[in-house]
Amino acid sequence: MIRNSAGLFLTLLLSSAVFAQTKSDEWNLVATSRENYFGVAIANGQIGIVTDATPLKTKEIILNGVYDGSPENGISRIVRGIEFLNIHLNINNKEIKSDNIGNWNQVVSMKEGTSKTSFSFEDLATIHYTILANRAVPFSAMAIVEILPLKDIEISANNYMVVPEELKQAQSQFRVLKDNQYLMPVFGTTAKTLTGKYTVAASTTFLFDGTPEILKQVGGEVGFTKKLLRGQKYRFAVAGGICTSKDITDPLNESERQPIYALQEGIDNLLNRHKQAWAELWKTGDIQIEGDLDAQQRVRFALYNLYSYIRPETRQSIAPMGLSSQGYNGHIFWDSELWMYPTLLALQPDMAKSCLDYRSDRLGKAKQKASIYGYKGAMFPWESDDTGEEATPTWALTGIFEQHITADVAIAFWNYYALTQDKSWLRSEFKVLKEIADFWVSRVVKNQDGSYSILNVVGADEYAQHVDDNAFTNASAIEAIRNTIKAATILGEPIDPNWKAVSDQIIIHSKNGITQNYKGYEGQTIKQADVNLLAYPLHIITDKAQIERDLDYYAEKIDKKDGPAMASGVLSVLYSRMGDREKAYAYFVKSYLPNSRPPFGVFSESANSSNPYFATGAGAMLQAVIYGFGGVEQTDHGLKYNKGLLPKKWKSLKIIGLGVDNKTITIE
C-alpha cells in the first residue's frame, strides 16, 4: 500500500478526522462541544493544570519532578497536587453547574498560554473564566473571572480546593494577615503524599480590580458576596501557588507568599508578566506554515505542549505525558532524549540542557545499576524518577533489558556539544560519556570471528524481547562509543583502546539486502521503528539504497493498530531526505491525525488509545518538520541547513530560532 498508494492513504487519513477546528486560527484552538472532551495541560514547566469541561473547575494538577509511592504497582508515581483554583459561583442563589449553562466554548491560546472558557447562565449573565500557570512565576497560577450581568444580580463566589485521594492528612485554614495597613486574606490547604515523603501546600487569595471585597469562610470554602448592576462588567481573580517540600524546605510558608505577592502585583501585572514570558519563547523558537492552517495549528500546539512541560535550568526532564497526567507514572524514558529533546535542542537549547542535567545528576545511580548487574560504567534506568534508580514495574522486562536508553543518553550529550561547541561544558560532562562507553565495553560478548554481540535485550521494537543483536541497541551503542572517542580527542583525554575495538566490530545483521531487526528476525510485526532509526537520528546506515530498502520493508511491518505515533515521524523525516514528497507528507499526517482527540487535538499514544497528552508523539511530529521538511541536519559541527522539501499544500515553511545563533530559515 505504501509503495503505490500514498495519495489514497493520505485521503483516508484526512477523511477520518474526528473533529475540526473550524473557528480556530493559527494561535487559538476553539472548542464548542463538551462531548468526548479531552483537556489541555495549561502548564509552565513546574505545574500542569489540566482543563475540564465543567465550568470554573480544573481536572487535576501535576507537579513536575515530585514522586511518591503508587499503591497499584508498588513503584513511584508523579504526584497530583491540590487543585486550588476551583470556584463555586452562584447567581441569585442559583449555583452554576455543567447542566444549567448555555453557549459554552473554550479557547486555548497557544500564544499566551491560557485557557478561556465562556458560557451564559439563564438570562442573567455571561461569564468568562481564564486559567493560567504563570510562566514567569513558576509555582503560581491564577483564575480570572469576568461577569457581564444582563440584569441586576447578586453573586457569591467561593474558592474551594480539591485534595486528590493519593494525598492524606489534609488540613485547611483561612486567616487574614496584616502588615501595617495591608490586610492579606490567605486560604490554604496542606497535605502529605501517600507515604509521607513530601508535604504539599497550596494557598490562594482573591484579587479585585477595585475595592477588595470582604472574604468569609463558609465550611471548606472562602469567598464573597456582591450585587452587580446590569451591563457593568465585573472582574475578580483567584490567585496563589502550590509548593512541596521536594523543592522548598517550608512549603506552607512559601505557598502563602504566592498569594501575598499576587495581592501586591494585581491581576494585570501578573497576567502581563506571564504573557511576556510566553512571547519570549515564541520569539526564540517558532514554526510558521503558510497555506495549511490545520498543519500550522497542530505543529504549534505540539510546540506549545513541549514548551509547557519544561523550564530551563531546573535540571528536570520531560515524561511521555509531560505535565498532562500521571501516564507512565510520570517517569523519564528514552522519549526524552530521542523524541522530544531533538526539537528542544534545535529551538530551545537551554531547555534541552535541562534534560541532560537531569541525567548528569543521576550518574551515580546509573553506575550503581551497572554494578548491580555485574557491568562496569553507567547503566541508566529504562524508567527514571527523582531518585535515578530503576522505576519500571518489576514485571516489565524493559526495566532490566531495554538497555539502549544508556546509549540514547550519551548521544543526546554529544549532540548538545555538537550544537554549542562548548568545550568547557563537554569537559565537565565527559564523565557521562566515558562511563557509558565503559558500560558497553563490559556489556558486549566477543564472537569467534572477532565481532561483538549484545545478547538478550528488549529492542526499541518492544515486541522483540530476549533477542540478540537488536539493530537499534547495537547501532546506538556504536554511535555512543564513537562520540565518546570524538569527545576524548577534543579534550585530550585518554582513549581506551577497547572503545575503538568494540565500536568498530559490533555486529548488525542483514539478510537478503535488508538490515535485520535482530539476529534471526523473520518478518514479524514490530511495535515501532527500530532499524529505520539507524539512518535517522543515528548515522550508522548512510547508503541511500540501503535506507530505501529498509524503509520500504519495515514501513509494512509496523503495527498498524497499536503502534505508537513516533514511527511515522521518523519515516516522514527519512522520506523527506530521500526526496519523496508524497510519502513524507503522508507519514507526517499519520504521525498526528489518527492520534488526535477532541476537541483540541491533543495527542494520544496510538490510534486506538485515549491517554493524552503524548508529548513523545509531538516530538516525533516536530522532527518531521524540522529535520525532514526543513532540511535541518545535526552534524558534529553544529546544525547544517540543507535544501529541505515542502509539501505540495504548503506555500512556505519558516523555522525561527534555530541553534545557538537563533537562525531563521525559510523553505518556499
PDB file of all heavy atoms in Angstrom, residues 201-232:
ATOM      1  N   ALA A 201       1.607  21.991  49.775  1.00  0.00           N
ATOM      2  CA  ALA A 201       0.857  23.123  50.323  1.00  0.00           C
ATOM      3  C   ALA A 201       0.402  24.028  49.196  1.00  0.00           C
ATOM      4  O   ALA A 201       1.189  24.393  48.320  1.00  0.00           O
ATOM      5  CB  ALA A 201       1.712  23.908  51.308  1.00  0.00           C
ATOM      6  N   ALA A 202      -0.880  24.391  49.213  1.00  0.00           N
ATOM      7  CA  ALA A 202      -1.445  25.324  48.236  1.00  0.00           C
ATOM      8  C   ALA A 202      -2.146  26.448  48.976  1.00  0.00           C
ATOM      9  O   ALA A 202      -2.821  26.214  49.984  1.00  0.00           O
ATOM     10  CB  ALA A 202      -2.423  24.612  47.309  1.00  0.00           C
ATOM     11  N   SER A 203      -1.981  27.672  48.495  1.00  0.00           N
ATOM     12  CA  SER A 203      -2.597  28.837  49.139  1.00  0.00           C
ATOM     13  C   SER A 203      -3.125  29.786  48.072  1.00  0.00           C
ATOM     14  O   SER A 203      -2.533  29.924  47.001  1.00  0.00           O
ATOM     15  CB  SER A 203      -1.584  29.572  50.018  1.00  0.00           C
ATOM     16  OG  SER A 203      -1.100  28.734  51.058  1.00  0.00           O
ATOM     17  N   THR A 204      -4.224  30.446  48.395  1.00  0.00           N
ATOM     18  CA  THR A 204      -4.856  31.369  47.449  1.00  0.00           C
ATOM     19  C   THR A 204      -5.371  32.613  48.156  1.00  0.00           C
ATOM     20  O   THR A 204      -5.479  32.664  49.397  1.00  0.00           O
ATOM     21  CB  THR A 204      -6.054  30.716  46.732  1.00  0.00           C
ATOM     22  OG1 THR A 204      -7.011  30.304  47.720  1.00  0.00           O
ATOM     23  CG2 THR A 204      -5.640  29.531  45.897  1.00  0.00           C
ATOM     24  N   THR A 205      -5.707  33.588  47.346  1.00  0.00           N
ATOM     25  CA  THR A 205      -6.459  34.755  47.787  1.00  0.00           C
ATOM     26  C   THR A 205      -7.280  35.245  46.606  1.00  0.00           C
ATOM     27  O   THR A 205      -7.164  34.711  45.492  1.00  0.00           O
ATOM     28  CB  THR A 205      -5.537  35.863  48.315  1.00  0.00           C
ATOM     29  OG1 THR A 205      -6.325  36.842  49.010  1.00  0.00           O
ATOM     30  CG2 THR A 205      -4.766  36.536  47.189  1.00  0.00           C
ATOM     31  N   PHE A 206      -8.112  36.240  46.848  1.00  0.00           N
ATOM     32  CA  PHE A 206      -8.883  36.869  45.770  1.00  0.00           C
ATOM     33  C   PHE A 206      -8.245  38.200  45.404  1.00  0.00           C
ATOM     34  O   PHE A 206      -7.800  38.955  46.283  1.00  0.00           O
ATOM     35  CB  PHE A 206     -10.333  37.111  46.207  1.00  0.00           C
ATOM     36  CG  PHE A 206     -11.212  35.888  46.127  1.00  0.00           C
ATOM     37  CD1 PHE A 206     -11.186  34.923  47.123  1.00  0.00           C
ATOM     38  CD2 PHE A 206     -12.075  35.713  45.052  1.00  0.00           C
ATOM     39  CE1 PHE A 206     -11.993  33.805  47.059  1.00  0.00           C
ATOM     40  CE2 PHE A 206     -12.901  34.595  44.972  1.00  0.00           C
ATOM     41  CZ  PHE A 206     -12.860  33.634  45.981  1.00  0.00           C
ATOM     42  N   LEU A 207      -8.203  38.485  44.113  1.00  0.00           N
ATOM     43  CA  LEU A 207      -7.756  39.780  43.607  1.00  0.00           C
ATOM     44  C   LEU A 207      -8.949  40.500  42.979  1.00  0.00           C
ATOM     45  O   LEU A 207      -9.773  39.880  42.308  1.00  0.00           O
ATOM     46  CB  LEU A 207      -6.655  39.602  42.558  1.00  0.00           C
ATOM     47  CG  LEU A 207      -5.461  38.713  42.916  1.00  0.00           C
ATOM     48  CD1 LEU A 207      -4.468  38.694  41.761  1.00  0.00           C
ATOM     49  CD2 LEU A 207      -4.795  39.184  44.197  1.00  0.00           C
ATOM     50  N   PHE A 208      -9.002  41.801  43.190  1.00  0.00           N
ATOM     51  CA  PHE A 208     -10.109  42.611  42.659  1.00  0.00           C
ATOM     52  C   PHE A 208      -9.560  43.818  41.916  1.00  0.00           C
ATOM     53  O   PHE A 208      -8.470  44.317  42.233  1.00  0.00           O
ATOM     54  CB  PHE A 208     -11.021  43.075  43.797  1.00  0.00           C
ATOM     55  CG  PHE A 208     -11.638  41.950  44.588  1.00  0.00           C
ATOM     56  CD1 PHE A 208     -11.037  41.501  45.752  1.00  0.00           C
ATOM     57  CD2 PHE A 208     -12.797  41.332  44.156  1.00  0.00           C
ATOM     58  CE1 PHE A 208     -11.586  40.451  46.487  1.00  0.00           C
ATOM     59  CE2 PHE A 208     -13.355  40.289  44.877  1.00  0.00           C
ATOM     60  CZ  PHE A 208     -12.749  39.853  46.052  1.00  0.00           C
ATOM     61  N   ASP A 209     -10.316  44.274  40.935  1.00  0.00           N
ATOM     62  CA  ASP A 209      -9.901  45.470  40.201  1.00  0.00           C
ATOM     63  C   ASP A 209     -10.054  46.726  41.051  1.00  0.00           C
ATOM     64  O   ASP A 209      -9.240  47.641  40.979  1.00  0.00           O
ATOM     65  CB  ASP A 209     -10.711  45.622  38.913  1.00  0.00           C
ATOM     66  CG  ASP A 209     -10.226  44.675  37.825  1.00  0.00           C
ATOM     67  OD1 ASP A 209      -9.033  44.324  37.841  1.00  0.00           O
ATOM     68  OD2 ASP A 209     -11.049  44.282  36.972  1.00  0.00           O
ATOM     69  N   GLY A 210     -11.097  46.763  41.817  1.00  0.00           N
ATOM     70  CA  GLY A 210     -11.350  47.944  42.633  1.00  0.00           C
ATOM     71  C   GLY A 210     -11.170  47.649  44.109  1.00  0.00           C
ATOM     72  O   GLY A 210     -10.227  46.970  44.513  1.00  0.00           O
ATOM     73  N   THR A 211     -12.088  48.145  44.906  1.00  0.00           N
ATOM     74  CA  THR A 211     -12.025  47.937  46.352  1.00  0.00           C
ATOM     75  C   THR A 211     -12.162  46.452  46.677  1.00  0.00           C
ATOM     76  O   THR A 211     -13.085  45.791  46.183  1.00  0.00           O
ATOM     77  CB  THR A 211     -13.160  48.712  47.055  1.00  0.00           C
ATOM     78  OG1 THR A 211     -13.062  50.090  46.711  1.00  0.00           O
ATOM     79  CG2 THR A 211     -13.063  48.545  48.567  1.00  0.00           C
ATOM     80  N   PRO A 212     -11.269  45.911  47.477  1.00  0.00           N
ATOM     81  CA  PRO A 212     -11.357  44.484  47.810  1.00  0.00           C
ATOM     82  C   PRO A 212     -12.645  44.166  48.555  1.00  0.00           C
ATOM     83  O   PRO A 212     -13.107  44.948  49.398  1.00  0.00           O
ATOM     84  CB  PRO A 212     -10.134  44.245  48.690  1.00  0.00           C
ATOM     85  CG  PRO A 212      -9.203  45.377  48.394  1.00  0.00           C
ATOM     86  CD  PRO A 212     -10.072  46.546  48.070  1.00  0.00           C
ATOM     87  N   GLU A 213     -13.201  43.017  48.246  1.00  0.00           N
ATOM     88  CA  GLU A 213     -14.363  42.547  48.976  1.00  0.00           C
ATOM     89  C   GLU A 213     -13.917  41.859  50.263  1.00  0.00           C
ATOM     90  O   GLU A 213     -12.782  41.382  50.367  1.00  0.00           O
ATOM     91  CB  GLU A 213     -15.173  41.565  48.121  1.00  0.00           C
ATOM     92  CG  GLU A 213     -15.651  42.127  46.804  1.00  0.00           C
ATOM     93  CD  GLU A 213     -16.592  43.310  46.981  1.00  0.00           C
ATOM     94  OE1 GLU A 213     -17.365  43.309  47.962  1.00  0.00           O
ATOM     95  OE2 GLU A 213     -16.547  44.227  46.140  1.00  0.00           O
ATOM     96  N   ILE A 214     -14.792  41.820  51.227  1.00  0.00           N
ATOM     97  CA  ILE A 214     -14.503  41.132  52.478  1.00  0.00           C
ATOM     98  C   ILE A 214     -14.722  39.638  52.260  1.00  0.00           C
ATOM     99  O   ILE A 214     -15.792  39.209  51.828  1.00  0.00           O
ATOM    100  CB  ILE A 214     -15.406  41.650  53.614  1.00  0.00           C
ATOM    101  CG1 ILE A 214     -15.111  43.130  53.882  1.00  0.00           C
ATOM    102  CG2 ILE A 214     -15.200  40.815  54.883  1.00  0.00           C
ATOM    103  CD1 ILE A 214     -16.036  43.766  54.892  1.00  0.00           C
ATOM    104  N   LEU A 215     -13.702  38.862  52.544  1.00  0.00           N
ATOM    105  CA  LEU A 215     -13.776  37.422  52.350  1.00  0.00           C
ATOM    106  C   LEU A 215     -14.207  36.731  53.638  1.00  0.00           C
ATOM    107  O   LEU A 215     -13.784  37.109  54.728  1.00  0.00           O
ATOM    108  CB  LEU A 215     -12.422  36.876  51.899  1.00  0.00           C
ATOM    109  CG  LEU A 215     -11.834  37.460  50.612  1.00  0.00           C
ATOM    110  CD1 LEU A 215     -10.529  36.754  50.272  1.00  0.00           C
ATOM    111  CD2 LEU A 215     -12.809  37.357  49.450  1.00  0.00           C
ATOM    112  N   LYS A 216     -15.037  35.720  53.464  1.00  0.00           N
ATOM    113  CA  LYS A 216     -15.512  34.950  54.606  1.00  0.00           C
ATOM    114  C   LYS A 216     -15.370  33.460  54.315  1.00  0.00           C
ATOM    115  O   LYS A 216     -15.461  33.031  53.170  1.00  0.00           O
ATOM    116  CB  LYS A 216     -16.976  35.282  54.912  1.00  0.00           C
ATOM    117  CG  LYS A 216     -17.205  36.722  55.344  1.00  0.00           C
ATOM    118  CD  LYS A 216     -18.669  36.974  55.665  1.00  0.00           C
ATOM    119  CE  LYS A 216     -18.903  38.409  56.129  1.00  0.00           C
ATOM    120  NZ  LYS A 216     -20.333  38.675  56.433  1.00  0.00           N
ATOM    121  N   GLN A 217     -15.141  32.713  55.370  1.00  0.00           N
ATOM    122  CA  GLN A 217     -15.060  31.264  55.232  1.00  0.00           C
ATOM    123  C   GLN A 217     -16.391  30.644  55.606  1.00  0.00           C
ATOM    124  O   GLN A 217     -16.958  30.939  56.666  1.00  0.00           O
ATOM    125  CB  GLN A 217     -13.962  30.693  56.126  1.00  0.00           C
ATOM    126  CG  GLN A 217     -13.792  29.178  55.984  1.00  0.00           C
ATOM    127  CD  GLN A 217     -12.604  28.643  56.763  1.00  0.00           C
ATOM    128  OE1 GLN A 217     -12.057  29.324  57.613  1.00  0.00           O
ATOM    129  NE2 GLN A 217     -12.198  27.407  56.467  1.00  0.00           N
ATOM    130  N   VAL A 218     -16.883  29.801  54.713  1.00  0.00           N
ATOM    131  CA  VAL A 218     -18.102  29.041  54.965  1.00  0.00           C
ATOM    132  C   VAL A 218     -17.787  27.578  54.703  1.00  0.00           C
ATOM    133  O   VAL A 218     -17.567  27.177  53.553  1.00  0.00           O
ATOM    134  CB  VAL A 218     -19.267  29.509  54.071  1.00  0.00           C
ATOM    135  CG1 VAL A 218     -20.510  28.678  54.350  1.00  0.00           C
ATOM    136  CG2 VAL A 218     -19.541  30.990  54.270  1.00  0.00           C
ATOM    137  N   GLY A 219     -17.711  26.793  55.742  1.00  0.00           N
ATOM    138  CA  GLY A 219     -17.318  25.403  55.584  1.00  0.00           C
ATOM    139  C   GLY A 219     -15.894  25.324  55.054  1.00  0.00           C
ATOM    140  O   GLY A 219     -14.988  25.964  55.573  1.00  0.00           O
ATOM    141  N   GLY A 220     -15.710  24.571  53.999  1.00  0.00           N
ATOM    142  CA  GLY A 220     -14.380  24.415  53.426  1.00  0.00           C
ATOM    143  C   GLY A 220     -14.107  25.353  52.277  1.00  0.00           C
ATOM    144  O   GLY A 220     -13.201  25.094  51.472  1.00  0.00           O
ATOM    145  N   GLU A 221     -14.872  26.459  52.198  1.00  0.00           N
ATOM    146  CA  GLU A 221     -14.713  27.396  51.101  1.00  0.00           C
ATOM    147  C   GLU A 221     -14.507  28.802  51.638  1.00  0.00           C
ATOM    148  O   GLU A 221     -14.893  29.122  52.764  1.00  0.00           O
ATOM    149  CB  GLU A 221     -15.939  27.373  50.182  1.00  0.00           C
ATOM    150  CG  GLU A 221     -16.261  25.989  49.634  1.00  0.00           C
ATOM    151  CD  GLU A 221     -17.465  25.990  48.706  1.00  0.00           C
ATOM    152  OE1 GLU A 221     -18.038  27.085  48.484  1.00  0.00           O
ATOM    153  OE2 GLU A 221     -17.826  24.918  48.200  1.00  0.00           O
ATOM    154  N   VAL A 222     -13.891  29.645  50.809  1.00  0.00           N
ATOM    155  CA  VAL A 222     -13.685  31.041  51.164  1.00  0.00           C
ATOM    156  C   VAL A 222     -14.139  31.895  49.986  1.00  0.00           C
ATOM    157  O   VAL A 222     -13.786  31.609  48.835  1.00  0.00           O
ATOM    158  CB  VAL A 222     -12.206  31.333  51.480  1.00  0.00           C
ATOM    159  CG1 VAL A 222     -11.962  32.829  51.626  1.00  0.00           C
ATOM    160  CG2 VAL A 222     -11.776  30.605  52.750  1.00  0.00           C
ATOM    161  N   GLY A 223     -14.912  32.949  50.288  1.00  0.00           N
ATOM    162  CA  GLY A 223     -15.367  33.785  49.184  1.00  0.00           C
ATOM    163  C   GLY A 223     -16.080  35.030  49.641  1.00  0.00           C
ATOM    164  O   GLY A 223     -15.925  35.494  50.779  1.00  0.00           O
ATOM    165  N   PHE A 224     -16.897  35.574  48.741  1.00  0.00           N
ATOM    166  CA  PHE A 224     -17.550  36.860  48.992  1.00  0.00           C
ATOM    167  C   PHE A 224     -18.897  36.893  48.275  1.00  0.00           C
ATOM    168  O   PHE A 224     -19.185  36.063  47.402  1.00  0.00           O
ATOM    169  CB  PHE A 224     -16.671  38.015  48.501  1.00  0.00           C
ATOM    170  CG  PHE A 224     -16.513  38.061  47.000  1.00  0.00           C
ATOM    171  CD1 PHE A 224     -17.332  38.863  46.215  1.00  0.00           C
ATOM    172  CD2 PHE A 224     -15.546  37.285  46.366  1.00  0.00           C
ATOM    173  CE1 PHE A 224     -17.199  38.895  44.834  1.00  0.00           C
ATOM    174  CE2 PHE A 224     -15.397  37.315  44.987  1.00  0.00           C
ATOM    175  CZ  PHE A 224     -16.227  38.120  44.215  1.00  0.00           C
ATOM    176  N   THR A 225     -19.697  37.882  48.638  1.00  0.00           N
ATOM    177  CA  THR A 225     -20.998  38.126  48.003  1.00  0.00           C
ATOM    178  C   THR A 225     -21.038  39.567  47.544  1.00  0.00           C
ATOM    179  O   THR A 225     -20.546  40.468  48.235  1.00  0.00           O
ATOM    180  CB  THR A 225     -22.149  37.848  48.987  1.00  0.00           C
ATOM    181  OG1 THR A 225     -22.086  36.485  49.403  1.00  0.00           O
ATOM    182  CG2 THR A 225     -23.503  38.111  48.349  1.00  0.00           C
ATOM    183  N   LYS A 226     -21.633  39.797  46.376  1.00  0.00           N
ATOM    184  CA  LYS A 226     -21.671  41.165  45.850  1.00  0.00           C
ATOM    185  C   LYS A 226     -22.852  41.320  44.903  1.00  0.00           C
ATOM    186  O   LYS A 226     -23.189  40.406  44.149  1.00  0.00           O
ATOM    187  CB  LYS A 226     -20.378  41.495  45.102  1.00  0.00           C
ATOM    188  CG  LYS A 226     -20.292  42.964  44.650  1.00  0.00           C
ATOM    189  CD  LYS A 226     -18.943  43.278  44.052  1.00  0.00           C
ATOM    190  CE  LYS A 226     -18.867  44.733  43.578  1.00  0.00           C
ATOM    191  NZ  LYS A 226     -19.029  45.699  44.709  1.00  0.00           N
ATOM    192  N   LYS A 227     -23.458  42.521  44.934  1.00  0.00           N
ATOM    193  CA  LYS A 227     -24.519  42.863  43.995  1.00  0.00           C
ATOM    194  C   LYS A 227     -23.909  43.552  42.780  1.00  0.00           C
ATOM    195  O   LYS A 227     -23.045  44.423  42.920  1.00  0.00           O
ATOM    196  CB  LYS A 227     -25.546  43.777  44.655  1.00  0.00           C
ATOM    197  CG  LYS A 227     -26.341  43.090  45.759  1.00  0.00           C
ATOM    198  CD  LYS A 227     -27.393  44.007  46.357  1.00  0.00           C
ATOM    199  CE  LYS A 227     -28.208  43.259  47.421  1.00  0.00           C
ATOM    200  NZ  LYS A 227     -29.253  44.146  48.026  1.00  0.00           N
ATOM    201  N   LEU A 228     -24.364  43.144  41.601  1.00  0.00           N
ATOM    202  CA  LEU A 228     -23.860  43.710  40.352  1.00  0.00           C
ATOM    203  C   LEU A 228     -25.007  44.329  39.565  1.00  0.00           C
ATOM    204  O   LEU A 228     -26.125  43.800  39.566  1.00  0.00           O
ATOM    205  CB  LEU A 228     -23.186  42.626  39.497  1.00  0.00           C
ATOM    206  CG  LEU A 228     -22.055  41.823  40.143  1.00  0.00           C
ATOM    207  CD1 LEU A 228     -21.502  40.799  39.150  1.00  0.00           C
ATOM    208  CD2 LEU A 228     -20.941  42.739  40.637  1.00  0.00           C
ATOM    209  N   LEU A 229     -24.704  45.423  38.886  1.00  0.00           N
ATOM    210  CA  LEU A 229     -25.709  46.132  38.101  1.00  0.00           C
ATOM    211  C   LEU A 229     -25.649  45.697  36.644  1.00  0.00           C
ATOM    212  O   LEU A 229     -24.578  45.408  36.097  1.00  0.00           O
ATOM    213  CB  LEU A 229     -25.488  47.644  38.193  1.00  0.00           C
ATOM    214  CG  LEU A 229     -25.596  48.248  39.590  1.00  0.00           C
ATOM    215  CD1 LEU A 229     -25.329  49.755  39.542  1.00  0.00           C
ATOM    216  CD2 LEU A 229     -26.975  47.984  40.198  1.00  0.00           C
ATOM    217  N   ARG A 230     -26.779  45.676  36.025  1.00  0.00           N
ATOM    218  CA  ARG A 230     -26.898  45.273  34.614  1.00  0.00           C
ATOM    219  C   ARG A 230     -25.919  46.060  33.742  1.00  0.00           C
ATOM    220  O   ARG A 230     -25.819  47.278  33.846  1.00  0.00           O
ATOM    221  CB  ARG A 230     -28.326  45.512  34.138  1.00  0.00           C
ATOM    222  CG  ARG A 230     -28.539  45.245  32.658  1.00  0.00           C
ATOM    223  CD  ARG A 230     -29.926  45.656  32.222  1.00  0.00           C
ATOM    224  NE  ARG A 230     -30.086  45.507  30.779  1.00  0.00           N
ATOM    225  CZ  ARG A 230     -31.158  45.895  30.103  1.00  0.00           C
ATOM    226  NH1 ARG A 230     -32.183  46.468  30.757  1.00  0.00           N
ATOM    227  NH2 ARG A 230     -31.220  45.716  28.794  1.00  0.00           N
ATOM    228  N   GLY A 231     -25.199  45.315  32.905  1.00  0.00           N
ATOM    229  CA  GLY A 231     -24.329  45.941  31.920  1.00  0.00           C
ATOM    230  C   GLY A 231     -22.982  46.400  32.432  1.00  0.00           C
ATOM    231  O   GLY A 231     -22.138  46.836  31.639  1.00  0.00           O
ATOM    232  N   GLN A 232     -22.751  46.304  33.737  1.00  0.00           N
ATOM    233  CA  GLN A 232     -21.468  46.747  34.290  1.00  0.00           C
ATOM    234  C   GLN A 232     -20.575  45.528  34.557  1.00  0.00           C
ATOM    235  O   GLN A 232     -20.796  44.768  35.489  1.00  0.00           O
ATOM    236  CB  GLN A 232     -21.691  47.542  35.584  1.00  0.00           C
ATOM    237  CG  GLN A 232     -22.417  48.858  35.345  1.00  0.00           C
ATOM    238  CD  GLN A 232     -22.505  49.720  36.603  1.00  0.00           C
ATOM    239  OE1 GLN A 232     -21.859  49.436  37.612  1.00  0.00           O
ATOM    240  NE2 GLN A 232     -23.305  50.769  36.536  1.00  0.00           N
TER     241      GLN A 232
END
